[in-house]
Structure formats: structure tokens, C-alpha cells
Amino acid sequence: MRSWARKLCRATAVVLALAMLPVVSGTAQAADVAYNQKNQRLEARPNSGMPIASVSREITLQDGTYGWWTFPTSAPCQTYTGRILPGTYTWTDQLWPGVPSVGTYRHHSYLTEEDGGWSYHIQCDFQLSATGSYTWGSGLDPHF
């Protein structure tokens, strides 16, 4: 009886291992979207006397094509879709109130490679309809 139970246990283990093969050996998933963001109170009518806001982080990127955009607005803003060279970057977003005029924010997003010194930049000018708490920043979406 013991011999039969061992065989059943081994057969069950083999069946379970074979059933897991498709899960373990599946195709690789694309990398997740990365964000550099900050949540803060923003005024509907900013002026240039207000302080500049900034958020920064380090990120290591592989060679590849990325989509890069700023938020919280869907205003017509610069975006980038293209190759970014591999390296470790300082990713900085800055929000300039009252630039280029009262009631407008200018949002700069920079990727500056720490060793090679090359950099990438996008910007956006936008207005808000109401004062309130907003999450602002930029996102990087690997297209590989």
C-alpha cells in the first residue's frame, strides 16, 4: 500500500510541474510605466512670485524606445516617443508658476544621464480651472 501511495504522490507532483510549464516559460511582459510625480496644492491663478516646485529621482533606463509625457493636463504639450540611450539618469520635473504669464504654469521635465552627460527635455504650459490638490509630473512608458 505504501508503494502505491508514493507512486501516486510522485505522479501528482509530475502532473503539477507539467501544468505549471506554460506559466513559467511564457513570453516576457513589457516593463511597467515609471512616474516622477508630486502631489500638492496648486492655484488656479499662479503668479511668478510663487515658489518653483520640483520633484526628482534617479532612474536606470535600458536602451530602447520610450513614450514620455507630462501631466495633470491634456493641453497640447510636448511629448516624446523615441529612443533613449541606456544609463542612469536624474529625472527632474519642475513647475514654474506664472510663466509665461499670470494664470499659467510652465512644466519642464528633464532626463539627465549621470555619466555621459546627455539629456532629454520636454515642456508644457497649462492652466487650471480650479485651485486644489493635484498630482503633477511625468511618465515614461517603455515600448519594449
Side-chain angles (χ1 to χ4, degrees):
M1 196 66 140
R2 286 186 177 191
S3 171
W4 181 82
R6 276 192 209 132
K7 288 180 184 177
L8 179 61
C9 187
R10 285 183 192 148
T12 302
V14 168
V15 167
L16 287 174
L18 290 173
M20 293 298 291
L21 278 178
V23 173
V24 174
S25 63
T27 59
Q29 300 259 341
D32 291 335
V33 174
Y35 296 97
N36 188 41
Q37 62 188 18
K38 183 174 188 173
N39 187 283
Q40 73 180 81
R41 181 179 172 82
L42 298 178
E43 299 294 323
R45 299 257 323 137
N47 64 67
S48 60
M50 299 172 145
I52 297 166
S54 183
V55 61
S56 193
R57 66 178 274 198
E58 185 177 274
I59 187 167
T60 301
L61 299 176
Q62 298 176 26
D63 189 8
T65 300
Y66 291 81
W68 183 22
W69 70 96
T70 60
F71 55 87
T73 182
S74 60
C77 292
Q78 287 180 326
T79 61
Y80 177 79
T81 300
R83 182 177 181 212
I84 294 180
L85 296 171
T88 300
Y89 290 81
T90 300
W91 185 5
T92 303
D93 283 83
Q94 295 177 332
L95 203 55
W96 295 65
V99 176
S101 61
V102 173
T104 304
Y105 286 96
R106 176 159 287 166
H107 181 172
H108 292 278
S109 187
Y110 302 95
L111 284 168
T112 306
E113 206 279 326
E114 294 177 0
D115 293 326
W118 55 82
S119 64
Y120 303 84
H121 170 255
I122 58 174
Q123 84 174 38
C124 180
D125 293 344
F126 66 94
Q127 297 176 332
L128 297 172
S129 60
T131 297
S133 179
Y134 291 87
T135 299
W136 63 274
S138 60
L140 272 171
D141 183 11
H143 293 185
F144 50 89

